[in-house]
Amino acid sequence: MSILETPGKQEYNITVYTENQIGLLNRIAIIFTRRKINIDSLNTSPSEIDSIHRFDIVLTETEEVVRKLSRQIEKQVEVLKVYFHTNDEIIWQEMALYKVPTDTIAEKVLVERLLREHGARAVVIRKDYTVFETTGHRTETDNLLYALQPFGLIEFVRSARIAIIKSSEGFNRKIREFEQLEPGQEVSENEYLSSRDKVFTM
């Protein structure tokens, strides 16, 4: 173990359910910056509930640090609920794009075999370059990167992680149950905030 490594550190995925408010991303990023913690990957997207968004944040830290970060994020007004999980507790993928010279690939590589071996597909084919796309875990997208590098790789980009929580039953059911328990009122986004401990337990 190097002197820079800390026992107990591993990769965690923090899932944040929020209202879609301007400036929230910046405030969440500041929480990490103040603690000098690096974010390995960050993705924002709509969730299964209309008007509610989710952040997927990947970092390598101890469970104690991740727990404290999650509590701090949850204190933000627009945040409905925060969960954190190890990689074993989620299903996750990343997407990658690779641009390579078409003439080199055509001459030196059996394209169909290469695509099949790495679960990739060609998304753009031009005279000057071809773009391949693949999805998978980091090691899988890296394997195709290494395979293409000897053939004049022009450009490479990888997306942030997207993840599904294995044990989650989803927010739709939780919110429907909440509405049945407290009928007779139109439930707004801000009402979720005041009752989030009841609604968003998984």
Side-chain angles (χ1 to χ4, degrees):
M1 180 185 299
S2 75
I3 59 174
L4 297 177
E5 291 178 334
T6 302
K9 278 191 175 184
Q10 64 175 311
E11 207 166 60
Y12 282 92
N13 194 91
I14 298 178
T15 305
V16 185
Y17 284 88
T18 76
E19 294 184 25
N20 186 23
Q21 295 289 335
I22 295 173
L24 180 58
L25 176 58
N26 184 54
R27 295 203 304 278
I28 290 176
I30 287 172
I31 292 172
F32 288 84
T33 303
R34 285 176 177 167
R35 290 159 180 75
K36 298 182 179 179
I37 295 173
N38 187 51
I39 296 175
D40 298 330
S41 173
L42 171 63
N43 180 71
T44 65
S45 72
S47 75
E48 60 272 25
I49 300 297
D50 191 29
S51 303
I52 296 177
H53 283 233
R54 65 182 287 167
F55 291 35
D56 284 298
I57 304 169
V58 181
L59 70 161
T60 304
E61 264 302 340
T62 63
E63 181 177 350
E64 181 182 0
V65 169
V66 173
R67 189 182 301 277
K68 288 179 180 178
L69 281 168
S70 298
R71 288 174 180 166
Q72 191 65 33
I73 293 169
E74 204 165 59
K75 290 179 181 178
Q76 300 297 311
V77 174
E78 301 88 347
V79 172
L80 301 169
K81 192 65 180 175
V82 179
Y83 305 96
F84 65 89
H85 298 88
T86 64
N87 286 346
D88 291 336
E89 297 170 321
I90 59 173
I91 299 165
W92 63 276
Q93 295 281 280
E94 295 173 340
M95 186 186 79
L97 296 175
Y98 314 76
K99 184 197 288 184
V100 293
T102 297
D103 55 355
T104 303
I105 286 293
E107 289 177 7
K108 298 182 179 179
V109 181
L110 296 174
V111 178
E112 288 186 10
R113 180 180 174 184
L114 184 69
L115 296 180
R116 188 168 58 251
E117 286 178 352
H118 295 277
R121 66 187 184 98
V123 292
V124 173
I125 301 175
R126 297 185 7 163
K127 288 184 179 179
D128 49 343
Y129 65 78
T130 296
V131 176
F132 296 128
E133 176 262 327
T134 190
T135 59
H137 288 185
R138 180 65 54 92
T139 53
E140 294 170 310
T141 56
D142 277 347
N143 285 341
L144 183 54
L145 173 65
Y146 302 144
L148 292 173
Q149 278 177 337
F151 304 103
L153 184 67
I154 300 169
E155 198 171 346
F156 167 74
V157 63
R158 179 165 36 219
S159 74
R161 174 184 296 186
I162 55 173
I164 293 290
I165 303 167
K166 288 181 180 179
S167 61
S168 170
E169 295 179 320
F171 272 13
N172 273 310
R173 188 180 68 82
K174 295 291 182 182
I175 291 177
R176 297 293 84 79
E177 288 177 356
F178 174 70
E179 290 173 341
Q180 287 172 9
L181 288 172
E182 301 187 16
Q185 268 189 318
E186 191 90 8
V187 179
S188 68
E189 291 175 20
N190 288 335
E191 287 179 270
Y192 294 143
L193 291 173
S194 61
S195 305
R196 61 185 175 186
D197 289 337
K198 289 190 287 184
V199 179
F200 298 116
T201 53
M202 288 189 185

